[in-house]
Amino acid sequence: EITSLLSLCGGQFSSEQEIRVNSPFWILSIPSEEMARGLMKRTVCAKSIFELWGHGRSAGELYASLKNYPMDKMLPYLQSDSTYKIRTHTFNKTLTQAQKIKKIDALEFLPFKGKVNLKNPEHIFWILEDYGMDPNNVPEEPFHLYFGRWIADGQRELIESYSVKKRHFIGNTSMDACLSFIMANHGRVKPNDVVYDPFVGTGGLLISSAHFGAYVCGTDIDYNTIHGLGKASRKNQKWRGPDENIRANLRQYGLEKYYLDALVSDSSRPIWRKGMLFDVIITDPPYGIREATRRTGSQKEAVKSAERSTENHIFVSSSYHLSDIFFDLLKFAAEYLVMGGRLVYWLPIYRPEYTEEIIPRHPCLKLISNCEQMLSSHTSRRLITMEKVKEFKDQDQNSCLLDGQYMPYRGHNSFREKYFSGVTKRIAKEEKDNQK
């Protein structure tokens, strides 16, 4: 999420930063405070951002680093007419109040001239200490120490304010608010973008994109879901109410002006004319567990319907193989995304058999990130982010990557078909076992 937002807002990981997956503190190089605030207005993963004045692997290194920090950068925040306070945060360790005060007093060499104000200070400074990630093996001294000026907090409160529990219209698989915002950030959604979800369901992914100022639309094969009809998913409610729909959800959050439409449509049969382009495609395809994988008709049914009059004909739904869902999705994204536009979607996997080669590829799309969300000891799902890097040509119509080579994907995909069939069965079995 942070990498995507840096490419959107400006900035990069500092050359000093060793990318330590197990560290909760990262050092970024951002050109301005305004850009730093812009990043924090988007992120739900990062808690806070600070202007780093000094850091080190010991207290001595930290103090030496602070003494080398340019005085002209410090002075604007140390004036006699200003107020300030210093706070201490330790990760994976709890300090007593006396220990915290001792660490703050050790910074007396800094030329603070203002008055201390603990309730409403103009400037807040933090001592941050990293004691590792293992709660059963906490070291006596921290692995790393940081000191800096607080700039802004992230958007963690969005998780609660957009909670699915409080949402007007929900379904069995409505996306968690936190993950929904992470997906929008992976897609680099920005104001005035057009964001599309081909498996829109109850529209949970549209809400986060609309919050960031994008115009949103989607399609789904389920007529009842699109129109807010049928049985309710909420506990102690039998049927959906007259105003339970995607538009009502956006209205609930004051985002209705960003709603374009939601259509009943089969994602395996694109309905858009050539040249209809989307800035971002964000979706959570059905896995065939709690939501069925369906498409309209089969080849035999299509032949029969062609022999009859097509007036008033209603296609029968048939099974839609999971591997075909993903490859149809990639083909659609390759054709209808703008250049540089992103596709963000979830891919279910069976961990003991997983390799990165199983991820569907397309010659027009570049894999940007692949993040895992654990579901159980054996199953998980991966958040796949891809970016369009090549114009779609006729020869890309039915191409996918298999064993390092691009080839037509239908009829040449037995390995992936078996794999995804196995994933669906295993996840379904684990869900039944959990219910028992």
Side-chain angles (χ1 to χ4, degrees):
E1 188 208 41
I2 298 298
T3 305
S4 294
L5 292 178
L6 285 173
S7 67
L8 178 66
C9 302
Q12 60 187 3
F13 281 97
S14 169
S15 57
E16 299 178 47
Q17 173 67 46
E18 300 172 15
I19 301 298
R20 292 178 296 159
V21 176
N22 292 328
S23 173
F25 301 104
W26 284 1
I27 301 177
L28 307 178
S29 178
I30 300 178
S32 70
E33 188 171 317
E34 183 183 356
M35 287 184 180
R37 292 184 186 279
L39 186 148
M40 298 311 285
K41 286 179 180 177
R42 295 287 304 256
T43 176
V44 293
C45 288
K47 188 173 182 180
S48 302
I49 194 165
F50 309 86
E51 181 184 56
L52 185 63
W53 286 16
H55 66 102
R57 297 182 183 277
S58 65
E61 282 189 20
L62 171 64
Y63 303 152
S65 178
L66 283 171
K67 289 173 183 176
N68 290 328
Y69 191 70
M71 187 57 66
D72 59 316
K73 292 185 178 181
M74 284 188 183
L75 285 178
Y77 310 103
L78 308 179
Q79 298 300 315
S80 58
D81 59 348
S82 66
T83 58
Y84 73 96
K85 75 174 177 179
I86 300 176
R87 301 191 65 178
T88 303
H89 173 75
T90 52
F91 188 87
N92 197 31
K93 188 170 185 175
T94 303
L95 299 182
T96 64
Q97 190 63 23
Q99 289 173 316
K100 291 180 180 180
I101 292 172
K102 184 179 178 181
K103 290 178 181 292
I104 293 171
D105 289 343
L107 298 172
E108 62 183 0
F109 62 88
L110 292 174
F112 286 104
K113 296 178 181 178
K115 293 182 178 180
V116 173
N117 184 332
L118 298 180
K119 290 187 176 180
N120 189 27
E122 291 178 58
H123 311 300
I124 305 173
F125 301 90
W126 285 76
I127 302 169
L128 307 167
E129 298 185 348
D130 179 7
Y131 287 87
M133 302 287 284
D134 186 358
N136 298 316
N137 187 23
V138 180
E140 283 296 320
E141 298 297 326
F143 294 124
H144 217 102
L145 301 91
Y146 308 85
F147 180 83
R149 179 178 64 89
W150 174 84
I151 295 176
D153 288 333
Q155 303 299 307
R156 305 281 296 178
E157 74 278 359
L158 292 178
I159 299 170
E160 180 61 28
S161 56
Y162 282 88
S163 172
V164 175
K165 295 177 183 178
K166 304 174 184 176
R167 195 166 298 166
H168 187 64
F169 176 48
I170 62 170
N172 293 335
T173 56
S174 291
M175 182 61 67
D176 170 78
C178 178
L179 295 177
S180 179
F181 279 102
I182 289 173
M183 291 178 76
N185 284 332
H186 273 242
R188 300 192 300 190
V189 173
K190 57 187 182 298
N192 300 319
D193 277 354
V194 177
V195 177
Y196 173 66
D197 183 352
F199 303 96
V200 71
T202 55
L205 297 180
L206 302 187
I207 293 171
S208 56
S209 295
H211 174 84
F212 293 133
Y215 293 93
V216 295
C217 57
T219 57
D220 201 285
I221 196 172
D222 192 324
Y223 179 96
N224 286 342
T225 301
I226 289 293
H227 291 279
L229 305 174
K231 291 185 177 181
S233 298
R234 205 179 299 277
K235 190 177 180 182
N236 301 324
Q237 182 183 342
K238 191 171 182 180
W239 302 101
R240 287 178 174 140
D243 191 35
E244 288 192 44
N245 51 55
I246 296 172
R247 181 188 289 274
N249 275 352
L250 289 159
R251 187 185 305 126
Q252 176 184 351
Y253 300 112
L255 303 171
E256 188 177 3
K257 64 180 179 180
Y258 296 113
Y259 180 59
L260 298 178
D261 209 346
L263 313 174
V264 180
S265 171
D266 177 4
S267 64
S268 70
R269 304 170 186 269
I271 58 175
W272 308 102
R273 66 169 182 252
K274 299 294 181 183
M276 181 67 185
L277 301 177
F278 302 105
D279 295 289
V280 188
I281 297 173
I282 298 178
T283 192
D284 181 28
Y287 312 144
I289 302 161
R290 284 181 289 173
E291 294 290 346
T293 55
R294 294 187 295 145
R295 59 180 165 189
T296 51
S298 65
Q299 288 184 347
K300 291 181 180 179
E301 290 159 349
V303 171
K304 290 179 182 178
S305 66
E307 294 173 355
R308 303 193 300 268
S309 169
T310 56
E311 291 183 15
N312 300 322
H313 175 70
I314 299 175
F315 272 111
V316 196
S317 67
S318 64
S319 61
Y320 192 8
H321 200 283
L322 199 56
S323 61
D324 289 340
I325 289 178
F326 293 122
F327 289 120
D328 283 342
L329 176 63
L330 264 62
K331 184 183 74 172
F332 180 86
E335 186 169 3
Y336 289 96
L337 274 176
V338 299
M339 187 60 67
R342 287 193 169 188
L343 165 67
V344 184
Y345 71 96
W346 288 102
L347 180 77
I349 61 126
Y350 181 63
R351 299 185 76 235
E353 296 177 5
Y354 168 77
T355 62
E356 194 164 298
E357 286 71 32
I358 205 67
I359 298 171
R361 305 290 181 95
H362 193 281
C364 297
L365 303 173
K366 177 185 176 183
L367 180 65
I368 298 297
S369 67
N370 171 9
C371 308
E372 184 178 29
Q373 183 198 19
M374 296 281 291
L375 300 176
S376 72
S377 59
H378 290 85
T379 59
S380 66
R381 58 179 179 175
R382 290 188 170 262
L383 183 59
I384 306 297
T385 303
M386 309 185 89
E387 186 173 308
K388 185 172 178 178
V389 294
K390 174 188 166 188
E391 288 289 352
F392 185 84
K393 305 291 183 183
D394 289 340
Q395 60 265 33
D396 301 320
Q397 185 69 27
N398 292 310
S399 294
C400 76
L401 183 66
L402 187 65
D403 298 329
Q405 294 184 338
Y406 289 104
M407 59 184 69
Y409 65 81
R410 298 196 188 280
H412 294 269
N413 200 29
S414 59
F415 169 65
R416 281 200 176 95
E417 285 184 3
K418 288 178 182 177
Y419 178 85
F420 285 120
S421 293
V423 168
T424 304
K425 290 174 183 176
R426 289 182 180 102
I427 295 176
K429 183 180 182 301
E430 288 205 10
E431 285 213 347
K432 286 180 182 178
D433 292 342
N434 290 337
Q435 287 172 1
K436 289 178 183 177

